[in-house]
Amino acid sequence: MLAQIHVTFKEGVLDPQGKTVHHALNDLGYDEVLDVNIGKYLEIKLDSASEEEAEIRVREMCERLLANTVIESFRFTLVPTE
Amino acid sequence: MLAQIHVTFKEGVLDPQGKTVHHALNDLGYDEVLDVNIGKYLEIKLDSASEEEAEIRVREMCERLLANTVIESFRFTLVPTE
């Protein structure tokens, strides 16, 4: 099983890295860029007994370690492998 | 238009952040975790004339600024907005 996880800042949280890239792109001439948000993308290879178990465990991993739920939200999808 | 961009390390490139998270998850008791890879996820809001133009420009942004194509690969999708 492969878990594909996106961790992004919640609405209203300052994203200085995104702001920097936004200005850099505008400076390079990409005037069509209106906003940039930067988050994390994680791929976790799992040896889980079932998709139901993986769903519960990955959610727990996100809440305990992978996302700071005060300022970040997460979403994930599970993809069967081999 | 919204560009959703994934930037990940190429096969064989060392990912120390992924290794650290892998060990941390195992230490927390998630023994089913076999591998962790960490990349970037960017959302760029665009004011593009057409999807064709956006496709060309976003590819260029990735190659020039967003990804280090020596060690990273990128992929993106364009989502129409409003």
Side-chain angles (χ1 to χ4, degrees), chain A residues 50-69:
Chain A
S50 69
E51 189 166 330
E52 289 68 32
E53 189 199 286
E55 168 89 29
I56 293 167
R57 299 275 283 180
V58 170
R59 183 173 306 281
E60 211 181 83
M61 290 178 211
C62 289
E63 284 165 355
R64 288 181 69 187
L65 185 76
L66 306 177
N68 175 352
T69 54

Side-chain angles (χ1 to χ4, degrees), chain A residues 22-73:
Chain A
H22 183 177
H23 289 142
L25 287 171
N26 286 159
D27 288 348
L28 284 170
Y30 299 105
D31 298 321
E32 71 267 44
V33 173
L34 303 179
D35 197 21
V36 178
N37 285 290
I38 303 187
K40 278 176 289 185
Y41 172 64
L42 298 96
E43 285 188 344
I44 300 189
K45 209 180 285 175
L46 294 165
D47 177 28
S48 299
S50 69
E51 189 166 330
E52 289 68 32
E53 189 199 286
E55 168 89 29
I56 293 167
R57 299 275 283 180
V58 170
R59 183 173 306 281
E60 211 181 83
M61 290 178 211
C62 289
E63 284 165 355
R64 288 181 69 187
L65 185 76
L66 306 177
N68 175 352
T69 54
V70 177
I71 56 168
E72 294 172 324
S73 51

Side-chain angles (χ1 to χ4, degrees), chain B residues 15-72:
Chain B
D15 174 9
Q17 199 189 356
K19 285 244 173 318
T20 304
V21 169
H22 183 177
H23 289 142
L25 286 171
N26 286 160
D27 288 347
L28 283 171
Y30 300 105
D31 298 320
E32 72 267 45
V33 173
L34 303 179
D35 198 20
V36 178
N37 285 290
I38 304 187
K40 279 176 288 185
Y41 171 65
L42 297 96
E43 285 188 344
I44 301 189
K45 208 180 284 174
L46 296 165
D47 177 28
S48 299
S50 69
E51 189 167 330
E52 290 67 33
E53 189 199 284
E55 168 90 27
I56 293 167
R57 299 277 283 180
V58 170
R59 183 173 307 282
E60 211 181 85
M61 290 178 210
C62 288
E63 283 164 356
R64 288 182 69 187
L65 184 76
L66 306 177
N68 175 353
T69 53
V70 177
I71 55 168
E72 294 172 325

